[in-house]
Amino acid sequence: MTNSLNLNVSGLPKSATLAINERYKELLGKGRNVYNFGLGQSPFPVPEPMRQSLMDNAHQKDYLPVEGLPELREAIAQYHSRVNDSSYTADQVLVGPGSKELMFLVQLVYYGDLVIPTPSWVSYAPQARIIGRHVHWLPTRGRDRWMLSAETLDAHCREDPDRPRLAILNYPSNPTGATLRPEELEELADVARKYEVVLLSDEIYGELHHEGEHVSIARHYRRGTIISGGISKWCGAGGWRLGYFLFPQLQGKLLRTLAVAASETFTSTSAPIQYAAISAFGGDPRIDAYLRKCRHILKMLGRYTVEVLDAAGARIPRPEGAFYLFPDFSRHRESLESQGIESGRALCEHLLERTGVAALPGEAFGCAAPDLSARMAYVDFDGARALEGYDEFTFRDRNDEDDFVEAFCPRVVEGVRRVAEEVGTWV
Ligand code: GLU
């Protein structure tokens, strides 16, 4: 029986993000004091106008067009025309049940190699493997905040300049929370243009840039950039499963081919969810206010947690968006090795055992197995309560920010402190 499984899939474990969540829940169920730094899920509730709209649209029962509900495609096109200072039309948008599914389909229909930086989100490479596509992992450096540099992309493309390639850039980044700076975007766009690389710009955390200053690489390389977005992160609606791709005008054929694959697989995205999602993109002032608060809370928490881990001796880029930390504990290699810990995976097991903090090893993001890095999602708090508390709070200085974090995100604070204490014993 098992011999008849497709070998591309049969050796693969369940996706690391989902597996760590199952593990966390299992330990919680057994009464263990575990801290949820595993799955990257927004702690904030879905904004009220979207929830109301979902209730109002519970009766929507028909299959919708494969490409998506026309009004939603229009709302997404207008939204991006506004925020990207450009002009997009509804026929450039493809809606799907999560951007993850669309990423799988684009890899299925696009002929070419997949190019991704190390580290990258856990699912890009396994999707390529399932499909049988070749993956090139490009190296990055700690001093570049683990972001891909234009020189590295250029050196890779130069080896075989005419090869068709799909490169995924994710910024703000999962797993680091760092993002690409304006000059880095320009330089990467120049290289992509030179070699006609198709860029899949995964901007799922764009709206969660802590300063609200996310810029898309599409500004510099519009004709070759597919923007990938969704409501999972900034609208706290991961379980709603709605994502989209925004194609450049030139890639109409790619969009149509993806729609064919979609029509033979998921048919169309859930109707009530699509109707409800329209309100996310309309510039509703209540959603803007919600987003401003979420960003500020994530920024305060990012600073606080980085300071704790940094003081303990971890090397760690400061998150500029999203809700991830990517500490590297290699300064403690000697001590860890003396305890038999020689890989990121063993490190995370050790942390879970000793501190109750559930995190993912860098290896899940393509780092070498011996790398002593981990991704910690700082999401273990009640986002609804934090948003309510935010309105009551006056933020004058850093002490107020720390007070807020300690009052409303106590599990995150306790989790990083426990890790810091544990690191303190690695001498
Ligand atoms: N993107 C989230 C993460 O990296 C979770 C969703 C998923 O992996 O499908 O934890």
Side-chain angles (χ1 to χ4, degrees), residues 102-340:
L102 297 178
M103 284 171 188
F104 183 73
L105 291 186
V106 79
Q107 294 205 48
L108 187 74
V109 307
Y110 182 76
Y111 174 80
D113 286 356
L114 179 70
V115 177
I116 47 177
T118 316
S120 273
W121 176 53
V122 298
S123 289
Y124 304 139
Q127 287 190 344
R129 170 164 164 195
I130 291 171
I131 290 164
R133 188 146 313 295
H134 198 83
V135 183
H136 292 278
W137 287 92
L138 301 187
T140 62
R141 294 174 301 198
R143 68 167 185 272
D144 294 332
R145 309 167 327 282
W146 309 115
M147 300 306 285
L148 180 64
S149 75
E151 295 77 52
T152 305
L153 182 62
D154 194 276
H156 169 73
C157 295
R158 215 181 311 139
E159 281 171 20
D160 191 351
D162 299 324
R163 207 176 173 84
R165 294 183 174 89
L166 178 72
I168 307 185
L169 296 177
N170 171 223
Y171 55 102
S173 147
N174 177 3
T176 65
T179 199
L180 289 165
R181 310 251 157 92
E183 64 282 6
E184 294 170 330
L185 289 170
E186 258 179 75
E187 288 162 11
L188 281 163
D190 287 345
V191 176
R193 192 180 309 104
K194 183 160 128 196
Y195 298 101
E196 304 218 335
V197 177
V198 175
L199 291 183
L200 181 59
S201 183
D202 182 355
E203 303 179 32
I204 193 85
Y205 300 100
E207 286 80 3
L208 291 182
H209 185 293
H210 295 168
E211 307 293 343
E213 289 172 0
H214 175 71
V215 176
S216 173
I217 197 161
R219 283 202 188 215
H220 306 293
Y221 180 43
R222 182 164 164 158
R223 67 182 172 86
T225 303
I226 303 166
I227 296 177
S228 172
I231 57 170
S232 295
K233 309 301 178 184
W234 67 285
C235 299
W240 284 28
R241 306 311 301 132
L242 185 133
Y244 61 86
F245 276 6
L246 184 58
F247 289 83
Q249 210 60 269
L250 256 182
Q251 297 283 7
K253 192 158 174 216
L254 186 56
L255 186 156
R256 286 191 294 280
T257 316
L258 241 81
V260 170
S263 77
E264 298 291 11
T265 51
F266 64 77
T267 304
S268 62
T269 306
S270 157
I273 296 293
Q274 289 202 62
Y275 279 97
I278 296 171
S279 53
F281 299 99
D284 186 318
R286 289 169 296 174
I287 297 187
D288 283 349
Y290 159 94
L291 197 48
R292 269 196 304 277
K293 290 180 217 173
C294 294
R295 284 176 184 145
H296 190 201
I297 294 170
L298 294 175
K299 180 182 167 188
M300 292 188 283
L301 202 43
R303 180 183 57 72
Y304 188 103
T305 49
V306 159
E307 280 173 10
V308 173
L309 293 172
D310 187 65
R315 246 189 290 247
I316 179 168
R318 188 179 56 83
E320 297 160 285
F323 32 64
Y324 299 116
L325 306 170
F326 196 61
D328 166 47
F329 298 100
S330 51
R331 280 188 193 136
H332 302 275
R333 180 172 293 283
E334 220 172 285
S335 158
L336 285 166
E337 282 182 357
S338 73
Q339 300 175 66

Side-chain angles (χ1 to χ4, degrees), residues 41-100:
Q41 168 162 277
S42 166
F44 299 109
V46 176
E48 215 283 317
M50 291 173 70
R51 277 185 280 155
Q52 185 58 50
S53 177
L54 183 60
M55 286 190 273
D56 295 345
N57 282 289
H59 66 282
Q60 303 285 359
K61 54 172 265 306
D62 290 347
Y63 292 115
L64 292 177
V66 179
E67 293 83 354
L69 177 69
E71 295 90 317
L72 175 61
R73 295 174 78 198
E74 180 63 37
I76 293 170
Q78 284 186 16
Y79 172 79
H80 277 280
S81 301
R82 239 177 14 251
V83 301
N84 293 8
D85 207 6
S86 191
S87 108
Y88 289 100
T89 51
D91 61 354
Q92 294 175 269
V93 177
L94 178 67
V95 177
S99 52
K100 190 175 189 172

